[in-house]
């Protein structure tokens, strides 16, 4: 495996591409929002390690205590995303990125690494079958969602915050919680707002802006969560056809 990786820092953040959406000439609103988010969190121990250049391959993780997820535990890393797409696939890049995360966790004396999964793989979550090859196992559940962890010793496993298992809110309107962490979010929110306005669909788009807010969310969350008719629907980013199916289902 001869791939070369670079870890983002406050010093190189402005120059490096962010992999999932590569823009070299024109600025992309989601990329710039993500870049601003990283500028705040890289100094707090957040790690974004990517394939050097424009190849789409990266791993992103943070100390669980400051991770923007309703997951609790002591001395774990939380793996937000491990993604390899396009030309780098099949070259051992994903394996190298996962191993770098696990090695970093061991070097920092962590109890292990955890991540969000589900009974059925979700499009916007890291590949849990791939993670299981490295020893990740289910340590807690919240409905159809699973918390996976690889543990290095006998210290207590991480777990979903009690509020994350609630899965309900009082509001019946379409409600979407989101952060600026994923570059795809900005344009998804813009399209969904426009669609809801055009079709007179009451909707609330709630911007999660702090770790404390994320830890208190009433459902599993990686950077996005959807409710309708007071019921938790998905952590997947929505396109319009998926939104229409959720709205239709909610009216039945």
């Amino acid at each position: 495996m001869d791939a070369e990786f670079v870890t983002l820092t406050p010093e190189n953040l402005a120059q490096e591409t962010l992999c999932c959406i590569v823009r070299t000439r024109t600025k992309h609103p989601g990329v710039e929002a993500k870049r601003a988010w990283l500028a705040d969190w890289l100094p707090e121990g957040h790690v974004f390690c990517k394939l050097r250049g424009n190849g789409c391959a990266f791993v992103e993780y943070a100390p669980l205590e400051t991770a923007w997820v309703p997951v609790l535990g002591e001395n774990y890393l939380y793996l937000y995303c491990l993604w390899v797409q396009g030309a780098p696939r099949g070259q051992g890049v994903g394996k190298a990125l996962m191993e770098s995360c696990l090695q970093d966790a061991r070097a920092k004396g962590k109890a292990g690494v955890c991540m969000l999964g589900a009974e059925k793989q979700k499009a916007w979550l890291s590949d849990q079958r791939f993670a299981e090859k490295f020893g990740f196992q289910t340590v807690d559940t919240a409905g159809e969602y699973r918390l996976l962890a690889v543990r290095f010793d006998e210290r207590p496993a991480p777990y979903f915050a009690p509020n994350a298992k609630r899965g309900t809110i009082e509001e019946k309107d379409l409600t979407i919680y989101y952060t600026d962490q994923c570059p795809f979010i900005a344009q998804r929110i813009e399209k969904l707002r426009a669609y809801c306005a055009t079709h007179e669909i009451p909707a609330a788009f709630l911007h999660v802006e702090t770790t404390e807010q994320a830890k208190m969310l009433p459902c599993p969350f990686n950077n996005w969560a959807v409710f309708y008719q007071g019921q938790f629907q998905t952590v997947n980013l929505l396109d319009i056809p998926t939104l229409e199916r959720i709205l239709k289902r909610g009216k039945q």
Side-chain angles (χ1 to χ4, degrees):
M1 173 66 232
D2 297 324
E4 185 178 359
F5 299 99
V6 58
T7 298
L8 297 186
T9 66
E11 291 71 31
N12 67 16
L13 178 58
Q15 290 76 44
E16 292 289 342
T17 61
L18 297 186
C19 295
C20 14
I21 300 178
V22 175
R23 289 290 183 273
T24 55
R25 294 186 179 180
T26 59
K27 289 187 176 182
H28 183 283
V31 170
E32 296 313 306
K34 165 84 174 196
R35 207 182 297 277
W37 190 89
L38 283 171
D40 289 335
W41 288 97
L42 289 178
E44 302 298 323
H46 191 95
V47 174
F48 189 108
C49 178
K50 62 182 282 287
L51 191 64
R52 188 175 293 279
N54 291 338
C56 187
F58 69 94
V59 64
E60 184 172 8
Y61 56 90
L64 179 57
E65 290 82 355
T66 56
W68 287 31
V69 292
V71 175
L72 304 176
E74 292 185 12
N75 219 25
Y76 280 81
L77 293 181
Y78 180 83
L79 196 161
Y80 286 106
C81 190
L82 193 159
W83 192 17
V84 180
Q85 188 176 34
R89 289 180 66 89
Q91 306 299 313
V93 175
K95 180 175 183 288
L97 288 169
M98 179 65 86
E99 288 176 345
S100 74
C101 174
L102 297 177
Q103 289 169 5
D104 192 21
R106 290 185 183 277
K108 292 173 177 173
K110 299 297 183 182
V113 180
C114 59
M115 61 180 276
L116 185 61
E119 292 177 3
K120 182 179 179 181
Q121 179 68 44
K122 301 297 182 182
W124 291 91
L125 295 179
S126 299
D127 187 340
Q128 57 201 38
R129 288 189 179 180
F130 177 74
E132 287 167 354
K133 296 177 181 178
F134 294 86
F136 283 80
Q137 297 179 336
T138 300
V139 294
D140 199 6
T141 60
E144 66 173 309
Y145 289 86
R146 307 160 61 200
L147 181 63
L148 306 174
V150 56
R151 301 167 65 191
F152 302 151
D153 52 40
E154 296 304 314
R155 282 178 282 184
Y159 56 96
F160 285 113
N163 43 280
K165 297 191 176 190
R166 195 165 78 231
T168 61
I169 58 176
E170 292 184 4
E171 294 78 6
K172 301 301 181 183
D173 295 342
L174 176 69
T175 302
I176 297 177
Y177 296 92
Y178 70 97
T179 71
D180 291 327
Q181 188 180 354
C182 175
F184 288 97
I185 285 177
Q187 289 186 324
R188 290 296 174 104
I189 289 292
E190 182 180 345
K191 289 180 180 179
L192 293 170
R193 284 187 192 276
Y195 179 88
C196 290
T198 299
H199 293 82
E200 299 183 342
I201 299 167
F205 298 89
L206 305 180
H207 191 193
V208 178
E209 300 182 273
T210 68
T211 301
E212 292 73 21
Q213 289 175 351
K215 293 292 187 192
M216 292 304 299
L217 288 171
C219 61
F221 181 81
N222 206 47
N223 52 44
W224 177 278
V226 180
F227 282 80
Y228 186 57
Q229 296 293 344
Q231 300 297 315
F232 175 53
Q233 303 293 322
T234 184
V235 298
N236 280 356
L237 272 68
L238 297 183
D239 55 20
I240 298 304
T242 305
L243 171 59
E244 290 175 337
R245 287 196 293 272
I246 288 173
L247 296 175
K248 182 178 180 180
R249 232 178 16 242
K251 293 177 181 178
Q252 293 176 347

